[in-house]
Amino acid sequence: MTDNVSDINNINNNNTQNNNNNNNNNIIVEDFDGVSKEVITASIDAINHNSLRNSMPTLYKSVDVNAQWIANKLKERENEFIEKKNMIIFLGTWNVNGKKPQESLDAWLKDPQVVSLGQPDIYAIGFQELDLTAEALLLKDVSRSLPWEQHISNTLQGDYVKLLTKQLVGILLCVYVKKEHRQHITQVQSDIAAVGIMGMMGNKGGVAIRFSFYNTSICIINSHLNAHLENTQRRNQDMRDISKTIKFTAEDGRLLSIYDHDQLFWIGDLNYRIQLPDHEVKERIKKKEYHILLEHDQLLNQMKVNAAFEGFREPPISFAPTYKYDAGTEDYDSSEKKRTPAWCDRVLWKTAKTAENVALMGYRRHELLSSDHRPVSCSFLIKIKTVIPDKRHKVYQETIKELDKKENDSMPDAAISTNSIDFEQIRFMVPVVKNIVIENIGQVIARFQFIPKLDESSLCKSWLKISPIAGMMIPKEKINIELTLYVDSLSSQAFNVLGESMDDILILHLENGKDYFISVSGTFQRTCFGNTLESLVRYPHPVRNNIPIPPEQKKLSIPKELWRIIDYIYNNGMKEEGLFIESGVGKEMELIKDCLDTGENFSSIGPLSIHSMAEILIRFLENLCEPVIPFQMYQQALDASSSSISCKTLVSHLPAVNYNVFFYLISFLSEVLTYQQSNKLTPDQLAIIFSTVLLRPNPSSPQQYQTDAATIKKKADLILHFLISKDLM
Amino acid sequence: MSFPYEYIFKYIIIGDMGVGKSCLLHQFTENKFVPDSPHTIGVEFGTRIVDVNNKKIKLQIWDTAGQERFRAVTRSYYRGAAGALLVYDVTRRITYNHLTTWLTDARNLTNPNTVIMLIGNKKDLEGQRDVTYEEASAFAKQNGLIFVESSAKTGENVEEAFLRTAKLIFQSVQEGNVDLIPGGVSPQTNPTTNDPTTTTTKDNNCSC
């Protein structure tokens, strides 16, 4: 059993070390949110107690780290909102030798010498030998304590309220506080430690009460240690056992020892004697030679050699020994036993290194006669840290703000080289690339991605490409984002025909951070390429001028641009070998396009390769948003290609402009074939070349991938019918 | 609970360009006023934890671009807002005249229980005042908005604007009109994963 106890004590000891560091923080955490908390816990009974003691010291639990951080910050700045107030604590101890209350306690608790210096703010009153009956030892009867509590209450009257009382058999500790302070007392707890017969009966031992008084933690122990002159070592051991056994639980579940307090008081019948013969002691008492007697006081001598109460201090004694009297008299023990007088009843204190020391106000005995002991009291002035709520609130707000700022700062942040990109003049099918540089100017990794606008699925308009669309940057890193603007025959209609303006807004989103809007704009050069036949015949003037025919006026029969191209080839290249087969010159073709769009004469370009103009014809047809044979007639056209009659029927169903264009082209190609001997072109060749641009599947349909020989032949056949049989015209 | 707050309220700040939306945000989150700060081109984001009825509430504030050309894009940020701060500049009547359009957007794009607060900013520039308190107050009353005049420069009424809105939202939460997820319970309110986009799109769970 002894072994067990010492093991447990070791564990608790380890805890004590940790607790020391965190204790102060804990106190602030407790009330930091300003919610005043009533008494947290009252006494813990013996059962609870044991289960607590056996629990593992380190348990897993989630920790409110933010609250902890805030609490630490507040602790650091405590001086800004803490005010120190002087408080008086009165500690009294009396061994009542089993007597019931019978005389007024005023001479003890309200001794004019004590209260004239100020009304105590706290009374901690300890009794020993409240009950000497055998029942009390075994049954833990508390009926003896109530009359004493009542007696104290009557003495202190209405100014004080009981905080808590704790009893262990004959040992009782009562703590009273001034009413005005009650709301500033938190974490009130108590514990007991029995060291009596068999170590469990409780006729000897200690009770303890702890609480936080404003921001100062206070622990008071009232103990009754083993008696008799020769038992000094036993008393020392009792003290150590009590100090190790007493435990409290902090709000976060950590165990607190008695040493984890700013102010620790130990009172009681400690039972240490004077190691001198009876007659000498009595003689010196008469002569008030207390200093000589004190030299032989067991307690002082044990403390001197650190055998007990290590680190504790006792105020100087200037009063006669308080033990042992004949009850009701002022005479020391006259019985047969002739107990030698001793200072059994003592008050010791220990202030934590981090706490402000106390000031002694008086250590004295009081002349109450009903017991064989005299009561003792000691008053101290304690500097209590009190919080000034307004100032604390201000610091708290600043701390929260600092945390918010840090959190806001730890959001990713990026600098973007521009929020607005103007691509200026954009030509059909000429890609233009512009760059945006984003730089991580925050303190954390930044992940970005372009996100679609509300109710949209794509990140941007179809004529824009973004690369990359997402990425990650470590702090200070830069990433180049390439924006490519490219208008092809799929996207050109919007500008050429519908007259939309070229702009878009991109949203660059930083994960956990802000969004950047990037405006993209450009000016599209209207062109006959990537246009529609229907639209082109409404423009008698160059398309660049953008002046359509009024609705009432007659439209052109075919696009004038088509006429200009064919007219040029007709006049300049019908005999050219490789016409429509050889490639044109890229630069010349761009100039030709400009002439077509601006109305400029081709002669302004200078000498031109006929192949450039021939390829322009192919490109013009190829880039029509809708081919001459419209997408929706594609499959019909393929089906009709086997018979010249069905081909004729098909063509007769073409829209008027398409019909005109189709026959204009066929006439021209037939004319080309009349120069077959010079240009070496065959109907098959022309049919294949032109069928691929006149007859195209919708790019969004699966048919666009039909590039097999059979399909190619069907397409070519359709054109071929018209090239070889003149009567289809 | 391992987070220092129990609720997250999303706020949006809307109103014409140059009325001081970003300044209000910075004043509220960082106690800072940056004169001549650049126009917000996009959506900025700030947070602050406040106490309402002894509950810790994290305000997640989205400050939007005020330019007309971004109007269509900023609309996508209204979703899921528990509070909308509709700001005009007391020294520029034009910004006041546009309130109806902003209010229409706010009403159409947020929940009926969204608390909309009208803020007349730049009240420190009393000499240049172009819109009287009485006039705006009448407008607010007529449209059922709470109203305050503030100065992002001096800080006057900035806290009040944000906190009054939070109180009204909290009241709404308590009355059961708004179903908010307590912080730290749902993974969606976990600050380590809260991503502005996910926050706007999690409306299935959050009808605020």
Side-chain angles (χ1 to χ4, degrees):
Chain A
M1 189 167 177
T2 320
D3 280 349
N4 257 342
V5 170
S6 78
D7 275 349
I8 291 162
N9 287 340
N10 282 341
I11 291 170
N12 292 338
N13 249 353
N14 292 340
N15 255 324
T16 309
Q17 309 247 309
N18 297 334
N19 292 344
N20 256 333
N21 302 331
N22 298 323
N23 189 24
N24 288 334
N25 297 345
N26 181 54
I27 288 157
I28 293 192
V29 172
E30 194 279 319
D31 69 347
F32 92 90
D33 58 6
V35 185
S36 83
K37 284 175 185 158
E38 289 309 312
V39 187
I40 305 290
T41 25
S43 58
I44 304 167
D45 65 24
I47 298 167
N48 259 333
H49 210 118
N50 287 335
S51 66
L52 252 180
R53 216 150 272 165
N54 293 333
S55 65
M56 291 299 291
T58 311
L59 297 171
Y60 169 78
K61 57 185 178 303
S62 66
V63 180
D64 184 344
V65 289
N66 291 59
Q68 227 170 54
W69 186 87
I70 292 165
N72 288 341
K73 284 281 163 191
L74 285 178
K75 180 75 188 165
E76 281 171 24
R77 298 179 58 185
E78 200 181 72
N79 291 339
E80 296 174 44
F81 56 83
I82 290 266
E83 189 178 51
K84 284 175 183 162
K85 281 189 186 164
N86 287 326
M87 299 282 180
I88 299 172
I89 182 168
F90 175 101
L91 298 139
T93 175
W94 192 18
N95 183 324
V96 295
N97 189 224
K99 300 288 192 305
K100 289 177 185 163
Q102 45 192 265
E103 59 192 317
S104 164
L105 300 178
D106 283 0
W108 178 28
L109 304 183
K110 307 206 100 175
D111 184 332
Q113 283 184 285
V114 175
V115 297
S116 64
L117 296 171
Q119 286 288 341
D121 296 280
I122 304 171
Y123 272 100
I125 304 158
F127 296 96
Q128 303 84 33
E129 296 193 8
L130 216 56
D131 195 346
L132 296 171
T133 60
E135 292 83 2
L137 290 182
L138 297 168
L139 300 175
K140 296 190 176 177
D141 178 18
V142 296
S143 63
R144 285 298 184 95
S145 64
L146 295 175
W148 283 107
E149 283 180 31
Q150 192 54 51
H151 205 40
I152 295 171
S153 292
N154 292 342
T155 309
L156 298 180
Q157 292 167 335
D159 299 340
Y160 294 85
V161 286
K162 186 173 85 174
L163 183 66
L164 188 66
T165 63
K166 186 70 182 173
Q167 187 181 5
L168 169 70
V169 194
I171 306 166
L172 175 70
L173 178 60
C174 309
V175 177
Y176 289 76
V177 297
K178 262 190 191 165
K179 276 182 179 166
E180 65 202 74
H181 298 312
R182 181 61 192 88
Q183 56 172 322
H184 300 291
I185 297 185
T186 54
Q187 291 188 289
V188 183
Q189 291 181 25
S190 64
D191 197 13
I192 53 173
V195 295
I197 304 161
M198 309 280 290
M200 51 181 280
M201 300 285 273
N203 66 329
K204 293 291 185 300
V207 300
I209 291 177
R210 64 90 57 211
F211 50 89
S212 294
F213 187 57
Y214 296 86
N215 278 11
T216 301
S217 57
I218 295 176
C219 178
I220 302 148
I221 298 165
N222 173 27
S223 74
H224 191 190
L225 308 184
N226 267 282
H228 306 303
L229 182 71
E230 65 278 14
N231 277 342
T232 304
Q233 292 310 316
R234 186 61 207 270
R235 284 187 277 278
N236 292 352
Q237 186 58 45
D238 287 350
M239 179 268 158
R240 283 193 292 269
D241 288 348
I242 292 169
S243 67
K244 284 175 183 172
T245 309
I246 302 275
K247 291 289 173 204
F248 308 100
T249 315
E251 246 198 350
D252 61 3
R254 291 178 299 121
L255 288 179
L256 297 177
S257 85
I258 61 167
Y259 297 108
D260 296 320
H261 293 87
D262 294 328
Q263 305 296 348
L264 170 61
F265 300 98
W266 195 308
I267 63 176
D269 179 357
L270 306 186
N271 251 328
Y272 288 92
R273 307 301 168 97
I274 299 167
Q275 205 94 36
L276 284 174
D278 182 54
H279 65 92
E280 185 184 345
V281 171
K282 282 178 178 157
E283 198 55 38
R284 292 198 186 277
I285 291 172
K286 269 182 202 154
K287 293 181 183 163
K288 297 194 175 177
E289 292 172 343
Y290 305 138
H291 63 284
I292 308 235
L293 295 175
L294 286 167
E295 283 171 19
H296 301 274
D297 177 71
Q298 290 175 332
L299 176 60
L300 292 181
N301 289 327
Q302 292 302 308
M303 286 171 72
K304 219 174 276 174
V305 296
N306 283 335
F309 294 98
E310 200 172 335
F312 281 84
R313 297 162 67 188
E314 186 187 27
I317 292 177
S318 55
F319 50 85
T322 54
Y323 172 83
K324 176 183 183 175
Y325 285 91
D326 291 336
T329 74
E330 293 185 358
D331 306 322
Y332 283 109
D333 188 15
S334 59
S335 71
E336 277 176 27
K337 290 182 183 170
K338 285 237 183 245
R339 300 281 191 215
T340 304
W343 284 287
C344 290
D345 309 288
R346 314 287 277 259
V347 174
L348 310 180
W349 93 94
K350 184 174 182 178
T351 299
K353 279 182 187 139
T354 51
E356 194 118 356
N357 216 339
V358 296
L360 175 69
M361 295 180 70
Y363 189 24
R364 49 180 63 87
R365 53 176 266 173
H366 304 269
E367 303 312 314
L368 298 186
L369 310 180
S370 54
S371 169
D372 58 353
H373 287 252
R374 292 288 183 265
V376 164
S377 81
C378 188
S379 297
F380 294 98
L381 201 65
I382 307 180
K383 281 205 193 303
I384 293 288
K385 292 183 274 183
T386 64
V387 169
I388 307 158
D390 287 353
K391 287 188 181 174
R392 209 192 79 103
H393 184 70
K394 190 172 153 272
V395 174
Y396 173 70
Q397 287 300 336
E398 284 170 13
T399 308
I400 286 279
K401 233 166 211 189
E402 188 188 342
L403 183 63
D404 284 331
K405 187 180 181 317
K406 285 280 176 339
E407 195 165 322
N408 287 326
D409 286 348
S410 69
M411 282 182 202
D413 198 8
I416 186 159
S417 58
T418 177
N419 277 100
S420 172
I421 294 192
D422 187 359
F423 280 84
E424 295 168 353
Q425 299 292 317
I426 292 292
R427 294 167 64 88
F428 181 69
M429 288 186 94
V430 180
V432 178
V433 175
K434 296 260 183 188
N435 291 296
I436 308 174
V437 178
I438 52 173
E439 181 181 2
N440 183 349
I441 55 167
Q443 293 153 20
V444 293
I445 285 178
R447 294 180 179 84
F448 70 86
Q449 70 177 97
F450 285 88
I451 57 170
K453 292 175 275 295
L454 182 67
D455 301 329
E456 286 184 19
S457 56
S458 53
L459 304 179
C460 58
K461 299 273 174 63
S462 62
W463 38 265
L464 194 63
K465 295 276 175 293
I466 308 169
S467 177
I469 58 164
M472 190 185 97
M473 299 173 289
I474 59 170
K476 295 197 170 76
E477 193 177 6
K478 291 179 183 179
I479 283 190
N480 189 55
I481 294 175
E482 201 176 80
L483 298 182
T484 309
L485 207 165
Y486 178 70
V487 179
D488 60 14
S489 59
L490 294 176
S491 52
S492 60
Q493 200 168 346
F495 311 114
N496 274 331
V497 182
L498 304 175
E500 286 177 11
S501 64
M502 181 178 258
D503 49 58
D504 197 2
I505 295 171
L506 312 180
I507 307 177
L508 175 63
H509 169 65
L510 283 191
E511 196 180 297
N512 294 322
K514 49 180 149 182
D515 290 3
Y516 302 82
F517 296 163
I518 300 166
S519 307
V520 173
S521 62
T523 310
F524 185 70
Q525 299 259 321
R526 278 173 54 84
T527 172
C528 59
F529 289 80
N531 214 312
T532 65
L533 294 174
E534 193 54 47
S535 165
L536 287 171
V537 293
R538 294 179 59 238
Y539 286 85
H541 307 291
V543 293
R544 198 70 62 84
N545 296 357
N546 201 9
I547 308 165
I549 293 178
E552 67 280 3
Q553 205 171 316
K554 197 170 176 285
K555 290 183 279 194
L556 306 176
S557 57
I558 61 164
K560 61 189 178 306
E561 292 82 4
L562 181 65
W563 178 85
R564 285 184 67 189
I565 297 164
I566 286 179
D567 181 61
Y568 186 90
I569 300 170
Y570 185 82
N571 290 327
N572 299 288
M574 297 298 268
K575 294 177 181 174
E576 186 74 20
E577 198 175 330
L579 193 66
F580 301 119
I581 290 170
E582 281 189 32
S583 295
V585 180
K587 194 161 188 182
E588 284 180 11
M589 296 199 311
E590 286 306 311
L591 293 169
I592 293 169
K593 282 181 185 172
D594 274 345
C595 288
L596 289 171
D597 292 337
T598 58
E600 195 77 25
N601 211 304
F602 294 135
S603 60
S604 66
I605 302 169
L608 261 183
S609 158
I610 192 66
H611 298 298
S612 296
M613 192 60 81
E615 188 172 337
I616 281 288
L617 176 61
I618 307 281
R619 297 281 166 242
F620 174 82
L621 296 169
E622 186 185 37
N623 287 317
L624 284 171
C625 297
E626 179 102 21
V628 177
I629 295 171
F631 291 134
Q632 60 168 17
M633 293 173 74
Y634 177 75
Q635 192 55 46
Q636 281 170 266
L638 290 187
D639 297 342
S641 62
S642 54
S643 123
S644 59
I645 303 296
S646 46
C647 285
K648 189 175 180 179
T649 312
L650 178 96
V651 169
S652 71
H653 285 95
L654 286 176
V657 185
N658 301 49
Y659 185 89
N660 293 345
V661 169
F662 187 80
F663 278 102
Y664 183 65
L665 276 168
I666 294 297
S667 312
F668 168 67
L669 295 176
S670 303
E671 190 67 22
V672 170
L673 288 172
T674 61
Y675 298 92
Q676 214 171 355
Q677 281 184 335
S678 318
N679 58 30
K680 306 282 193 279
L681 285 166
T682 66
D684 285 331
Q685 283 175 320
L686 287 181
I688 287 175
I689 292 165
F690 280 88
S691 67
T692 53
V693 294
L694 294 177
L695 185 56
R696 287 181 274 130
N698 192 322
S700 61
S701 84
Q703 290 165 321
Q704 70 162 317
Y705 302 108
Q706 290 175 350
T707 51
D708 55 300
T711 308
I712 291 167
K713 184 169 186 306
K714 277 184 189 172
K715 285 186 189 178
D717 283 350
L718 178 88
I719 304 301
L720 200 57
H721 286 303
F722 293 95
L723 291 182
I724 56 180
S725 65
K726 301 256 188 286
D727 50 340
L728 285 182
M729 304 271 287
Chain B
M1 195 183 93
S2 32
F3 304 110
Y5 51 84
E6 291 160 76
Y7 295 97
I8 295 185
F9 293 168
K10 172 180 169 177
Y11 279 24
I12 47 164
I13 314 181
I14 53 174
D16 272 11
M17 179 168 77
V19 298
K21 296 183 293 299
S22 299
C23 290
L24 284 168
L25 172 68
H26 290 139
Q27 179 61 255
F28 182 66
T29 57
E30 293 170 35
N31 263 359
K32 189 170 82 178
F33 178 73
V34 187
D36 306 318
S37 51
H39 292 305
T40 306
I41 303 180
V43 174
E44 290 194 14
F45 190 63
T47 70
R48 193 178 137 184
I49 298 168
V50 296
D51 282 14
V52 174
N53 294 12
N54 283 325
K55 293 263 185 296
K56 299 251 178 298
I57 292 172
K58 181 169 184 160
L59 301 184
Q60 197 180 68
I61 307 148
W62 303 57
D63 163 35
T64 62
Q67 284 101 315
E68 178 59 34
R69 67 194 167 113
F70 294 130
R71 196 68 167 269
V73 185
T74 49
R75 283 192 181 109
S76 54
Y77 293 86
Y78 287 55
R79 211 187 273 168
L85 308 184
L86 173 52
V87 189
Y88 70 95
D89 175 352
V90 299
T91 71
R92 283 190 296 140
R93 175 159 285 276
I94 183 80
T95 67
Y96 174 80
N97 293 343
H98 289 159
L99 287 177
T100 320
T101 341
W102 287 109
L103 188 58
T104 308
D105 269 6
R107 293 242 196 263
N108 290 342
L109 298 163
T110 63
N111 183 285
N113 290 309
T114 299
V115 175
I116 304 177
M117 170 152 226
L118 181 64
I119 300 177
N121 193 32
K122 306 195 187 176
K123 82 178 290 246
D124 52 293
L125 302 175
E126 195 52 51
Q128 299 167 41
R129 182 182 279 276
D130 205 8
V131 181
T132 65
Y133 180 87
E134 290 69 27
E135 183 182 0
S137 184
F139 173 84
K141 201 170 177 188
Q142 195 184 324
N143 289 284
L145 312 173
I146 37 170
F147 170 58
V148 73
E149 281 190 342
S150 70
S151 166
K153 188 175 180 179
T154 65
E156 189 182 351
N157 282 344
V158 174
E159 292 267 322
E160 145 131 61
F162 282 85
L163 294 182
R164 255 175 83 183
T165 308
K167 276 183 191 136
L168 286 167
I169 298 168
F170 188 73
Q171 202 177 316
S172 202
V173 171
Q174 286 189 316
E175 286 163 5
N177 297 330
V178 183
D179 183 25
L180 287 165
I181 309 148
V185 174
S186 155
Q188 276 142 327
T189 51
N190 182 336
T192 58
T193 58
N194 92 52
D195 173 87
T197 337
T198 26
T199 317
T200 44
T201 53
K202 71 178 182 209
D203 296 20
N204 306 344
N205 303 317
C206 173
S207 59
C208 51

